Amino acid sequence: MRLIVMLLLLLFIAGGVVLGALNADLVGYDLVFARVQVPKGAALLTMLALGWILGGLTAWLGVTTRHRRERRRSVKATGAKVSKTP
């Protein structure tokens, strides 16, 4: 299993190096407060990583919220059953 993970990691690193080498042109980004020029490859990889992180965070928050809601319902249902018995 570790070998497969290491091979995948090396594959993605090699892909990043190739992507960066093929897209070495500078791209300008005009933010409201600053003007930044970065290589295309770095911008692509940064946005890819940012999208991956934000997507994972969104999925995690959705699952966490749903679990919290279901747990509250089950506690209310269990509390209602317990209070009805003498």
Side-chain angles (χ1 to χ4, degrees), residues 25-31 35-38:
D25 304 349
L26 288 178
V27 177
Y29 292 102
D30 187 17
L31 307 172
R35 191 173 283 225
V36 181
Q37 289 207 350
V38 294

Side-chain angles (χ1 to χ4, degrees), residues 35-51:
R35 191 173 283 225
V36 181
Q37 289 207 350
V38 294
K40 270 190 220 176
L44 286 170
L45 289 174
T46 302
M47 291 302 119
L48 177 70
L50 185 64

Side-chain angles (χ1 to χ4, degrees), residues 2-78:
R2 286 186 186 187
L3 179 63
I4 294 172
V5 171
M6 292 299 287
L7 288 174
L8 281 173
L9 183 62
L10 287 174
L11 179 71
F12 280 106
I13 289 172
V17 168
V18 169
L19 185 70
L22 293 175
N23 294 301
D25 304 349
L26 288 178
V27 177
Y29 292 102
D30 187 17
L31 307 172
V32 175
F33 51 88
R35 191 173 283 225
V36 181
Q37 289 207 350
V38 294
K40 270 190 220 176
L44 286 170
L45 289 174
T46 302
M47 291 302 119
L48 177 70
L50 185 64
W52 183 72
I53 290 169
L54 290 176
L57 183 64
T58 303
W60 177 73
L61 285 174
V63 168
T64 303
T65 305
R66 187 177 70 218
H67 282 186
R68 203 175 287 150
R69 191 176 336 119
E70 288 174 1
R71 189 172 58 220
R72 253 187 255 130
R73 284 183 190 157
S74 68
V75 167
K76 283 182 182 179
T78 305

